Amino acid sequence: MSKQLCAVMAGCGGISRAWLDAIQTIPDLKMVGFVDINQQAAQERAEQYAWKDALIGTDLAQVLTATRPDVVFDCTIPEAHPQVTMTAFAHGCDVLGEKPLADSMETARRVVQAAQAAGRTYAVIQNRRYDPNIRRLASLLASGAIGEVTTVNADFYIGAHFGGFRDHMRHVLLLDMAIHTFDAARLIAGANPKAVYCHEWNPSGSWYDHDASAIALFEMERGIVFTYRGSWCAEGLNTTWESQWRIVATRSVTWDGAAGLYGQVVAETGGFFSKWVEVEVPAASPTDRVGGHAGVISDFVRCIQTGAVPETVCTDNIQSLAMVFGAIESAEANRRIEIAM
Ligand SMILES: NC(=O)c1ccc[n+]([C@@H]2O[C@H](COP(=O)([O-])OP(=O)(O)OC[C@H]3O[C@@H](n4cnc5c(N)ncnc54)[C@H](O)[C@@H]3O)[C@@H](O)[C@H]2O)c1
């Protein structure tokens, strides 16, 4: 039987509900502490999810010293992620944290080094990777059925009226959302980024204070080109939150971000147009990683129990973060940026 892991949650705001909904379905997890700089938020989460013996606090180090958990779940704001993670390592804990890994590349590198020096696992909850449709697409591509990928295009158009901090945030689309799409592009292309050119702007009619639209062109490994067109202030004809995709290979495939996955392969050449036939897209594999937040958390638990490496471990996830900060740097400098780890 696997060892049950004891966990402390740091940050008990909006997203912690998605985590706790998932955690209550995982028998191998026991919540022993809730921490938030706002004590009431921590208290409320412990009560709502009936973890009545859990310790509540405002100081993570104190709660970790008192409860000695195996893992820390970091649901704090991006600026607090490095401090929460380092405190967890200092108490011998492994960490699964909300995206983004850190609030700058410099801090991200420091945290990755600290995890390695401490011999601890730090993984990021890229929940949109754990989606059955993207897994189906990724396995179709990995099977070679549509040939070698050369080009990946993603369109993300959502008219999101959040209200609150996002309306006033700089680089809101790139910083708060695009990490999911860029991470998905790495999974789909099976390639890491090398360089980016990005243009960011705030369209007329936008209800955001700062740039809420962006177009980015990434040069990826193996000569693959990934283009991203995105907006959080596009009214009408919205795409899914997963984006709408076209993948061009020696043959082609499109994905609407939901269950619509269509591919064509060449049946005959010789004319102005080749003749194409629809490619059969196999059903999802039972071994695929799915389940959103619950899927990533279960996988993390299994990895800590068995010593395996989570798919979204920080040493890999930093590549997705580098796409975000590379795009921002490019937009600010108005030039192509080489992406450095
Ligand atoms: N994966 C997703 O789909 C998704 C969706 C929404 C938010 N997020 C991410 O989740 C994180 C939190 O977002 P949210 O919407 O829950 O924000 P929120 O503001 O609702 O909650 C954050 C909580 O963290 C607490 N906090 C801040 N600093 C802290 C610290 N040093 N120690 C302990 N607690 C601290 C705040 O008091 C607050 O209760 C962000 O990184 C965000 O990007 C991810």
Side-chain angles (χ1 to χ4, degrees):
M1 217 176 82
S2 328
K3 174 186 182 258
Q4 188 180 48
L5 300 183
C6 292
V8 164
M9 172 166 282
C12 299
I15 200 64
S16 67
R17 279 194 297 261
W19 285 64
L20 290 162
D21 286 345
I23 288 166
Q24 64 185 4
T25 68
I26 304 172
D28 277 3
L29 271 178
K30 178 180 178 194
M31 296 304 302
V32 295
F34 289 84
V35 177
D36 198 295
I37 47 174
N38 169 4
Q39 170 124 357
Q40 200 187 337
Q43 186 78 48
E44 273 174 20
R45 284 291 177 266
E47 284 168 9
Q48 275 165 2
Y49 288 87
W51 292 103
K52 52 182 184 327
D53 296 331
L55 187 62
I56 309 299
T58 55
D59 184 313
L60 178 61
Q62 275 177 13
V63 171
L64 295 182
T65 303
T67 56
R68 303 171 61 84
D70 303 289
V71 299
V72 168
F73 293 143
D74 181 7
C75 295
T76 61
I77 54 173
E79 300 72 40
H81 292 176
Q83 183 217 332
V84 165
T85 311
M86 300 285 205
T87 306
F89 297 157
H91 287 79
C93 300
D94 297 300
V95 180
L96 180 64
E98 258 304 341
K99 59 85 186 161
L101 193 159
D103 57 344
S104 72
M105 278 308 286
E106 198 189 329
T107 338
R109 285 185 202 106
R110 213 158 31 83
V111 177
V112 170
Q113 277 167 11
Q116 287 171 326
R120 306 275 31 132
T121 299
Y122 175 29
V124 176
I125 197 145
Q126 291 295 169
N127 46 301
R128 289 175 194 277
R129 229 176 218 257
Y130 280 56
D131 167 270
N133 297 309
I134 196 171
R135 289 292 167 177
R136 220 171 132 221
L137 171 60
S139 50
L140 175 74
L141 295 171
S143 76
I146 71 151
E148 280 285 308
V149 175
T150 63
T151 315
V152 177
N153 306 146
D155 277 353
F156 175 89
Y157 288 102
I158 303 264
H161 295 261
F162 292 104
F165 74 95
R166 288 186 182 84
D167 288 6
H168 315 292
M169 187 176 168
R170 297 179 71 82
H171 309 293
V172 60
L173 176 72
L174 290 174
L175 266 183
D176 202 52
M177 184 65 213
I179 182 92
H180 288 296
T181 322
F182 296 172
D183 187 66
R186 288 182 51 234
L187 175 63
I188 289 169
N192 286 322
K194 293 174 78 77
V196 58
Y197 177 78
C198 179
H199 180 73
E200 220 187 353
W201 77 107
N202 206 20
S204 164
S206 165
W207 49 94
Y208 294 83
D209 289 351
H210 300 284
D211 295 347
S213 294
I215 292 184
L217 187 158
F218 289 91
E219 297 162 45
M220 310 288 282
E221 289 169 338
R222 305 197 310 279
I224 296 171
V225 171
F226 163 54
T227 66
Y228 168 81
R229 302 189 295 186
S231 178
W232 243 347
C233 56
E235 293 286 29
L237 301 176
N238 280 185
T239 63
T240 63
W241 284 83
E242 266 58 45
S243 303
Q244 187 170 332
W245 297 78
R246 174 182 287 261
I247 293 96
V248 184
T250 354
R251 297 116 174 200
S252 281
V253 65
T254 65
W255 175 43
D256 65 4
L261 189 45
Y262 307 99
Q264 286 190 333
V265 294
V266 176
E268 196 182 311
T269 55
F272 180 80
F273 287 120
S274 302
K275 287 200 174 127
W276 305 296
V277 290
E278 268 201 24
V279 71
E280 183 137 348
V281 183
S285 151
T287 56
D288 272 350
R289 292 177 157 127
V290 296
H293 272 82
V296 189
I297 297 170
S298 305
D299 228 11
F300 177 78
V301 166
R302 184 189 53 79
C303 288
I304 300 306
Q305 288 169 331
T306 62
V309 179
E311 177 170 309
T312 58
V313 68
C314 60
T315 44
D316 181 81
N317 189 259
I318 195 169
Q319 302 262 0
S320 301
L321 192 73
M323 292 173 81
V324 172
F325 285 110
I328 289 173
E329 190 184 340
S330 167
E332 285 180 339
N334 194 20
R335 65 180 171 83
R336 176 181 174 276
I337 298 289
E338 304 262 353
I339 294 178
M341 278 324 118

